[in-house]
Amino acid sequence: MTDQHDKIKRYLDEMCSQVKAREVHTDLRDELGNHIREMMLDKEQEGLTQEEAAAYAIEQMGDPSAVGKSMHKLHSHRVHWGLIIGLISLAIVSLFLMWIFTSNVTNTTYQSMYNNHVVYTIIGIILMSFFMFFDYRRWKRSAWWIYVLLNTILWINLMISPSLFGTTRFMTGYGFVLDLTTAAMWVLPLAIGAILMDKLRFNFGVQTILSYIAMVALPAALLFQISDWVRLVMFGIISLVLFGWITRKWLYTVIATVITACIGFLLLLTTDSYNRLDRFSVVFNLDDDPMGNGYYNHSIMGILQSAGWWGNGLDTPFDRFKTSYFDYPGVLLIDVFGWAGGIGLLVAIIWFVASMVKTLPRIRDDFGRMIIVMITSMFALQMVYSLAMTTGRVPILSVVFPFIGYGNHLIFDYAMMGLLLGVYRRKDTVSLKNNKSRPTTTPIQ
């Protein structure tokens, strides 16, 4: 039996030598080794000796080098060219729209925005390239450090940074501005999910639920103190989405959503010193405050009515509202290129989100799937609301348009997209032995 075992081991060694992704060697040994043993058992039952059965099974498997090369093709890194081409297209549209804005606005304050936009885009693309090649599983090993560090920075910045438009969301230094609440909105759900995913899925109970609530409550309290309600709400929504997806306890998720919504409404009702509720109520009757909270809604609807199918052209005059165009790239696109341009953007966004969703079934690793769910949900949430604001029929909030809107949120947009592409890149090279939801067997060593 030892001789047969050595023959199988040598066969598997030669086969694995052709596969560069060492992480899947154990899986391949397990799978092919079991297949060889099954053929041996069948032949032994037919009357062959163990030596004859082993020789037959190895012969049927084929040349180990050829098998190894075929396995290498199956287990190599992948590039999602469709999403990359889509990102490049969005970057070009974004830069073109910002060029139109800075070329038409007369206020010199806005003239430098194009250069800033280019810088944010370049930094974002560099980070995207880094995270594409970054082993996303390291995120899980560093999740506690990331969680503690970012919450600490949020707390310190709350203490030392001056308030800007009623919030302390930005950290400044050396001429650079970092949007901390946007960083928290993106990074903290990933960290919390990485820390508690296994416990929520395999050890679900009151203690685990309370742990999740506590870990979400800390950054939520900091975002509330910072007074960034938009990022707070999006952080809460994504935390609920992750809880539901990880646990598959949808009834609990619905109950948690209702409770969270009630608490949020009561807090907004009792602590709102900036009349945020007026932005919601005004959409029900825009004529009540046409030059106040309803001004932006009226302006957007007026542009939609005047744009027609083909727009007002590149030389469209700028009025008071249009000096804020950098916050509403979708409206600028429709004003210049008409409803045809808006429909084109809508189709592109639907295709882009659908392409991200389609990557999910191809990912075998649970942690990688969690990353895809979180990033896709966040992008979809921002894109859908940004498109809704383009109609002028919803409250105008500081929800940015990913990849197109102006601001250093672009850095996080591209970085998170790079993380998603990194998960996809490694989808065929991650060992299932690291996936606790899948049973494992002992391979031939």
Side-chain angles (χ1 to χ4, degrees):
M1 185 64 182
T2 303
D3 291 339
Q4 283 73 44
H5 184 88
D6 290 340
K7 288 180 181 179
I8 298 173
K9 184 178 181 299
R10 285 195 296 271
Y11 180 90
L12 295 176
D13 287 343
E14 188 173 350
M15 180 274 297
C16 287
S17 68
Q18 303 296 321
V19 182
K20 293 183 179 179
R22 294 183 178 275
E23 302 162 78
V24 298
H25 283 188
T26 301
D27 293 340
L28 292 176
R29 288 177 179 275
D30 185 19
E31 180 182 352
L32 298 181
N34 285 337
H35 189 49
I36 291 173
R37 284 195 295 267
E38 288 173 0
M39 286 193 291
M40 286 178 61
L41 287 174
D42 290 340
K43 288 302 173 181
E44 287 176 15
Q45 290 176 357
E46 293 177 8
L48 272 66
T49 64
Q50 287 186 350
E51 184 176 353
E52 292 172 336
Y56 172 84
I58 291 173
E59 181 181 359
Q60 292 301 308
M61 290 296 295
D63 179 64
S65 295
V67 174
K69 289 177 181 177
S70 65
M71 291 296 104
H72 172 69
K73 291 180 181 179
L74 289 174
H75 298 281
S76 58
H77 291 149
R78 311 291 180 185
V79 177
H80 199 309
W81 290 109
L83 282 175
I84 290 177
I85 292 172
L87 283 170
I88 293 172
S89 301
L90 287 174
I92 292 172
V93 170
S94 176
L95 292 170
F96 184 51
L97 290 176
M98 186 53 62
W99 174 80
I100 293 173
F101 170 76
T102 54
S103 298
N104 281 272
V105 69
T106 56
N107 191 332
T108 56
T109 304
Y110 300 108
Q111 296 298 325
S112 63
M113 292 181 66
Y114 183 78
N115 292 334
N116 293 338
H117 196 64
V118 172
V119 171
Y120 292 144
T121 301
I122 292 173
I123 294 174
I125 291 175
I126 291 173
L127 285 175
M128 182 184 76
S129 302
F130 169 78
F131 280 111
M132 274 185 62
F133 295 93
F134 175 78
D135 187 348
Y136 67 89
R137 290 165 298 175
R138 295 183 182 179
W139 188 282
K140 193 172 186 179
R141 295 193 288 268
S142 306
W144 266 114
W145 291 103
I146 294 170
Y147 178 83
V148 172
L149 178 62
L150 188 48
N151 277 293
T152 302
I153 293 174
L154 284 171
W155 177 72
I156 292 174
N157 195 67
L158 178 64
M159 299 294 104
I160 66 175
S161 292
S163 176
L164 181 63
F165 303 116
T167 72
T168 54
R169 57 182 287 199
F170 300 102
M171 183 173 69
T172 60
Y174 303 102
F176 188 78
V177 179
L178 180 63
D179 189 343
L180 280 179
T181 56
T182 297
M185 177 188 75
W186 276 114
V187 175
L188 288 176
L190 286 176
I192 295 170
I195 293 168
L196 292 177
M197 185 181 71
D198 292 338
K199 291 183 179 179
L200 285 170
R201 181 158 291 182
F202 306 114
N203 191 25
F204 187 78
V206 174
Q207 184 177 355
T208 308
I209 294 175
L210 292 176
S211 298
Y212 191 83
I213 292 173
M215 294 198 71
V216 170
L218 174 59
L222 290 171
L223 290 172
F224 175 75
Q225 290 295 318
I226 292 170
S227 196
D228 188 349
W229 279 86
V230 172
R231 258 55 59 181
L232 171 60
V233 169
M234 287 195 285
F235 169 75
I237 291 173
I238 296 303
S239 297
L240 289 166
V241 169
L242 279 183
F243 179 83
W245 183 83
I246 293 172
T247 64
R248 305 295 199 271
K249 306 291 185 181
W250 299 111
L251 178 60
Y252 290 168
T253 305
V254 170
I255 294 172
T257 301
V258 172
I259 294 173
T260 303
C262 291
I263 293 173
F265 180 75
L266 288 174
L267 287 173
L268 187 59
L269 193 65
T270 56
T271 64
D272 180 23
S273 58
Y274 293 96
N275 300 317
R276 291 183 176 90
L277 284 174
D278 292 342
R279 303 180 195 176
F280 291 88
S281 60
V282 73
V283 298
F284 298 106
N285 193 344
L286 292 174
D287 294 329
D288 283 352
D289 192 11
M291 297 306 294
N293 286 314
Y295 172 74
Y296 287 96
N297 301 77
H298 272 291
S299 299
I300 290 173
M301 289 187 287
I303 289 168
L304 294 180
Q305 293 171 2
S306 67
W309 276 106
W310 306 113
N312 297 311
L314 294 175
D315 56 349
T316 176
F318 271 43
D319 57 16
R320 173 189 161 195
F321 167 72
K322 293 181 180 180
T323 57
S324 301
Y325 255 167
F326 60 91
D327 287 328
Y328 312 100
V331 183
L332 171 58
L333 182 72
I334 294 173
D335 190 10
V336 175
F337 299 103
W339 302 337
I343 293 172
L345 178 63
L346 175 61
V347 171
I349 293 304
I350 292 174
W351 173 87
F352 192 73
V353 173
S355 296
M356 287 190 286
V357 172
K358 288 180 180 179
T359 63
L360 187 59
R362 304 177 188 179
I363 309 301
R364 302 180 297 169
D365 174 50
D366 281 344
F367 182 57
R369 289 166 64 84
M370 189 207 78
I371 291 174
I372 299 291
V373 168
M374 182 267 162
I375 292 176
T376 301
S377 299
M378 184 68 81
F379 277 132
L381 178 63
Q382 293 182 87
M383 288 176 174
V384 167
Y385 199 87
S386 296
L387 288 170
M389 283 198 300
T390 303
T391 67
R393 295 291 183 178
V394 300
I396 305 300
L397 305 175
S398 60
V399 177
V400 296
F401 209 126
F403 304 107
I404 298 180
Y406 174 79
N408 66 17
H409 66 88
L410 289 170
I411 295 174
F412 298 101
D413 293 344
Y414 283 105
M416 292 298 107
M417 201 63 216
L419 188 60
L420 184 148
L421 290 169
V423 173
Y424 183 88
R425 180 174 178 268
R426 291 178 176 270
K427 68 183 182 69
D428 294 324
T429 63
V430 173
S431 173
L432 297 183
K433 299 296 180 182
N434 296 324
N435 191 335
K436 293 186 179 181
S437 66
R438 298 175 182 268
T440 60
T441 56
T442 303
I444 293 178
Q445 300 296 333

